[in-house]
Amino acid sequence: MLILLPNYAFAQDAEITGSIVNVRGGPSTQNTVITKVVKGQNVSIISEQNGWCNVKLSNNTVGWISQDLLKKLAVNNTNIQKPLPVPDAKPVPVPVPASKPVPTPIPVPKPVPNPAPTPAKTIVNVAPYAVSVTGSIVNIRQSSDTNSAILTSVKLGENLTVYGKQGEWLNVKLSDGRSGWIAGWLTKEAHSVVTPTGNTLRLPIGNRNLVLTNLDNGLKINLSGVNENDYTLSTTTNQTDLIIKVNNNGVKSAKKSINTWGVKDISIEPSYIYLSFDKPFTFTDSYVRSQLEANITFAKVQAQGINKIKLNASNEKSIVQISAKGNLEYTTSNVGTSKLYVDIPKAELKLSSANELEQAVNYGPIRKVLAKQISSDIVRLEVDLASGAICNVIENDGYLILAGRLGNGSLKGKTIVLDPGHGTIGTGGFSDPGAVGRDLKLREKDVVLGISLKLRDSLVKEGANVIMTRTSDGKYLSLEGRAAIANKSNADVFVSVHANSSTNRAANGSSVYMYAPYSKPNLYNQRNIRKELATDIQNEIVKSAGRKNLGVKEANFSVLRNTQVPSVLVETAFLSNPEEEKLFNTDGFLQKMADGIFNGLKTFFKNN
């Protein structure tokens, strides 16, 4: 007696591992989706076939789910189907013939053909193309079988390059160079991958060609079929992307993944071609009229080697020196109030000692400096600051300085040289009056001395050490001699106070001058600090005295050119302007100007 068993021998519980998983009518992504299940839901596995599981849901729905989206649980023995017992066969009685017995013919069994062998699935090589992973976590296996060893796992959204197929399985290459297999139904096709032939890669784009040629130390790109005025070139600010704008038609949309010769992707749109590079670059271009083609040659920007990072700390000040062979660009960003990031592009860490990667102290404004190579050509310095500390970055020729100070705004102990303009004995034994007002005949030497003396008194009350270049008339002092007073005293800052004048009587307002040209390296090294000093004072005198803001300016004045310390020249207001000359004749206006300069100095020393 032939006993027919069900199409399953046992049931095993499993848990859904995908976020939202399709239940299909058959073991293939081509089959219809009959329902969906969610992560954590349990199902019972009835049978398995080619990486798919026939499952029964809690509502008795039966369908198919990819095996990679299930986690098998312990076998439930109560669900094992036992075969039915086979009953004993009873003897069949043979009738006794009434006449001569007829011999029973012996049947000849028909030959049973051997079942045809299942043809093995062949591996089909394909032109490389990209796929994106659609499962939450998908296994990469050693061969195209769910029972094969797992090499690694990939996550949702990751891109892989396909080189071959076997059934519904895809042969992909991993980032470490290994080859593995992924279930095709857990991927979707991304954009195409292009591989070069030899040293050349040719991309047809509509009725044009884009040809890339490897030059070993760079790259050459040829764009054919364009007129000289039909294209323009531009780069992004980080110099890692080139944009080719094509003015006439003939370019069709496409996206190519390359990842060769330093090019990561090429995106082609009707009027634009975008090339993305793995490192910053410079380029030159030329046009060949006879060939109607543009030639673009690229050279990678060589990263600067950072060879020295040194933290020098004291209780009140900290200095970090970052040295390289050339000028360093940088950007800064604050993380809260206690951490500063300094990112240096086009740079590589080439330190002589690993001890310089992390330097820490338990005192002073800067407590720790940690250097990291966060990408192939970007160095990041993570600077930990003490509470209330301020850190500024100063550029110099071939190095950066991180200057930390406990920013309490105190003027105590600062040495400040105040220089009331004019008022000294000049050629012929006469005192230099400076500008003279037309209406009240006020003299510049007198009004600026009045402002400077009021400013001196405010600074001294704050504990500053104030040096005056003059407190009256009657002595000879050259412009160079005024600057020399600041240099000899090693002053923190030098402030020269003046009143302006113009042939245009309508001219009015306040301005502050600084001087730090590139042609004079000793001054240019102070450019940032001089400009900040001028800006802080300018902002505060406008706020205090209420005159027109003429801004910070730069001029080659002798007292600015010859001072070796940060210096500014303040043009408080115009004696040639009738309204402002009247203001100069009031004690209140002189005090407002003094207060403005005083507040500007406080702001400056708070931040520097």
Side-chain angles (χ1 to χ4, degrees):
M1 182 175 182
L2 180 63
I3 303 300
L4 296 178
L5 297 177
N7 65 344
Y8 59 91
F10 63 90
Q12 182 178 3
D13 288 340
E15 181 182 340
I16 302 296
T17 59
S19 298
I20 300 176
V21 177
N22 293 327
V23 181
R24 298 182 179 272
S28 167
T29 54
Q30 306 302 318
N31 290 100
T32 305
V33 176
I34 57 177
T35 187
K36 295 178 183 290
V37 288
V38 297
K39 187 174 182 178
Q41 187 172 335
N42 283 0
V43 298
S44 294
I45 298 176
I46 300 172
S47 63
E48 299 179 15
Q49 180 180 326
N50 295 331
W52 288 78
C53 293
N54 188 213
V55 299
K56 184 178 181 181
L57 310 185
S58 59
N59 61 1
N60 293 323
T61 300
V62 176
W64 293 83
I65 295 178
S66 168
Q67 189 176 27
D68 279 346
L69 298 175
L70 293 170
K71 177 184 177 182
K72 293 180 181 179
L73 304 176
V75 175
N76 184 354
N77 293 325
T78 61
N79 290 330
I80 296 177
Q81 301 293 320
K82 297 181 180 180
L84 297 174
V86 180
D88 293 334
K90 294 182 179 180
V92 179
V94 179
V96 178
S99 58
K100 184 178 181 181
V102 179
T104 302
I106 300 173
V108 179
K110 294 180 180 180
V112 179
N114 292 326
T118 303
K121 294 179 181 178
T122 57
I123 298 176
V124 179
N125 293 324
V126 297
Y129 67 95
V131 293
S132 179
V133 177
T134 57
S136 299
I137 299 177
V138 180
N139 295 325
I140 304 294
R141 298 183 179 271
Q142 195 169 24
S143 59
S144 56
D145 189 333
T146 53
N147 294 319
S148 174
I150 297 173
L151 299 178
T152 187
S153 298
V154 288
K155 297 180 180 179
L156 177 69
E158 288 191 37
N159 285 345
L160 300 167
T161 303
V162 178
Y163 293 91
K165 292 184 176 181
Q166 190 172 33
E168 292 187 279
W169 288 79
L170 307 178
N171 186 214
V172 296
K173 182 172 284 188
L174 305 177
S175 58
D176 59 8
R178 291 182 298 167
S179 178
W181 292 87
I182 188 172
W185 57 90
L186 297 175
T187 68
K188 66 178 180 180
E189 187 169 346
H191 53 78
S192 56
V193 178
V194 181
T195 53
T197 302
N199 280 341
T200 303
L201 177 63
R202 183 180 298 272
L203 299 175
I205 48 173
N207 55 16
R208 296 178 172 81
N209 279 311
L210 191 68
V211 180
L212 284 69
T213 305
N214 182 24
L215 303 178
D216 293 328
N217 60 345
L219 182 69
K220 181 178 180 181
I221 291 183
N222 170 271
L223 177 62
S224 64
V226 291
N227 294 318
E228 187 170 7
N229 298 320
D230 282 342
Y231 75 95
T232 55
L233 305 175
S234 60
T235 63
T236 51
T237 54
N238 58 3
Q239 289 183 272
T240 57
D241 298 278
L242 176 74
I243 304 168
I244 307 175
K245 182 179 181 182
V246 184
N247 296 331
N248 54 7
N249 296 325
V251 176
K252 296 182 179 179
S253 298
K255 184 173 177 65
K256 312 290 184 183
S257 180
I258 295 179
N259 197 25
T260 188
W261 306 331
V263 181
K264 295 191 295 184
D265 287 293
I266 297 181
S267 296
I268 302 169
E269 297 180 6
S271 297
Y272 293 90
I273 302 169
Y274 299 90
L275 293 98
S276 176
F277 292 79
D278 60 0
K279 286 187 177 182
F281 61 85
T282 58
F283 73 91
T284 57
D285 72 294
S286 60
Y287 184 78
V288 183
R289 289 189 180 89
S290 60
Q291 302 294 327
L292 291 178
E293 64 182 27
N295 293 308
I296 311 161
T297 303
F298 298 85
K300 291 184 179 180
V301 175
Q302 296 299 315
Q304 283 278 25
I306 295 179
N307 50 50
K308 187 74 175 176
I309 300 174
K310 179 62 176 175
L311 169 62
N312 295 297
S314 67
N315 286 328
E316 294 187 0
K317 297 180 182 179
S318 297
I319 297 293
V320 180
Q321 181 175 339
I322 302 102
S323 304
K325 292 183 179 179
N327 291 326
L328 294 172
E329 301 174 10
Y330 69 92
T331 58
T332 62
S333 58
N334 288 88
V335 181
T337 59
S338 61
K339 187 179 284 289
L340 173 72
Y341 285 165
V342 181
D343 286 347
I344 306 172
K346 294 175 284 189
E348 289 183 281
L349 287 172
K350 295 185 177 179
L351 302 173
S352 58
S353 170
N355 294 332
E356 296 180 36
L357 289 172
E358 183 173 354
Q359 301 173 63
V361 293
N362 58 6
Y363 57 91
I366 298 177
R367 297 301 174 88
K368 186 172 78 169
V369 178
L370 177 63
K372 294 180 179 179
Q373 188 83 46
I374 61 172
S375 73
S376 58
D377 59 349
I378 298 178
V379 171
R380 168 171 290 175
L381 300 178
E382 296 183 5
V383 184
D384 288 354
L385 304 174
S387 177
I390 301 219
C391 184
N392 287 332
V393 184
I394 304 168
E395 298 176 75
N396 257 309
D397 186 19
Y399 60 91
L400 297 179
I401 294 292
L402 308 186
R405 179 188 289 274
L406 293 173
N408 54 15
S410 173
L411 292 167
K412 185 176 181 180
K414 305 298 185 296
T415 298
I416 300 170
V417 174
L418 297 182
D419 173 43
H422 308 282
T424 59
I425 302 299
T427 305
F430 296 100
S431 176
D432 171 21
V436 178
R438 295 189 184 183
D439 297 333
L440 303 179
K441 306 303 180 184
L442 296 182
R443 298 177 298 183
E444 181 180 3
K445 67 170 186 173
D446 298 326
V447 296
V448 298
L449 179 60
I451 293 172
S452 299
L453 291 173
K454 292 179 182 297
L455 175 58
R456 177 197 63 182
D457 293 343
S458 297
L459 292 170
V460 170
K461 286 181 181 178
E462 289 288 317
N465 174 31
V466 180
I467 300 173
M468 303 283 291
T469 59
R470 71 178 181 94
T471 57
S472 62
D473 294 348
K475 68 174 182 177
Y476 173 78
L477 184 64
S478 67
L479 295 175
E480 293 82 359
R482 295 171 188 254
I485 292 174
N487 297 336
K488 290 177 181 178
S489 62
N490 193 27
D492 288 288
V493 295
F494 172 91
V495 180
S496 188
V497 183
H498 288 256
N500 217 334
S501 184
S502 173
T503 55
N504 176 13
R505 297 201 72 188
N508 67 96
S510 304
S511 57
V512 178
Y513 286 82
M514 48 85 66
Y515 185 63
Y518 181 78
S519 58
K520 295 185 177 297
N522 61 318
L523 301 183
Y524 186 75
N525 289 343
Q526 294 181 10
R527 184 171 185 84
N528 287 355
I529 209 77
R530 289 187 174 212
K531 187 173 182 179
E532 188 168 345
L533 174 62
T535 301
D536 289 340
I537 293 177
Q538 174 67 15
N539 290 341
E540 291 297 334
I541 61 174
V542 169
K543 188 188 302 181
S544 177
R547 306 314 299 163
K548 182 179 178 181
N549 188 351
L550 299 180
V552 172
K553 301 182 179 183
E554 187 164 3
N556 185 10
F557 293 136
S558 177
V559 289
L560 303 181
R561 179 177 67 248
N562 290 297
T563 46
Q564 298 170 7
V565 302
S567 58
V568 291
L569 186 148
V570 182
E571 291 285 9
T572 53
F574 282 77
L575 271 173
S576 56
N577 180 277
E579 178 187 357
E580 293 189 340
E581 185 185 12
K582 290 179 182 179
L583 290 172
F584 273 124
N585 201 35
T586 66
D587 188 72
F589 184 71
L590 300 185
Q591 186 64 57
K592 287 180 180 179
M593 277 295 173
D595 290 344
I597 300 172
F598 173 78
N599 291 332
L601 289 170
K602 284 198 72 172
T603 301
F604 173 78
F605 282 114
K606 180 179 180 181
N607 297 327
N608 293 277

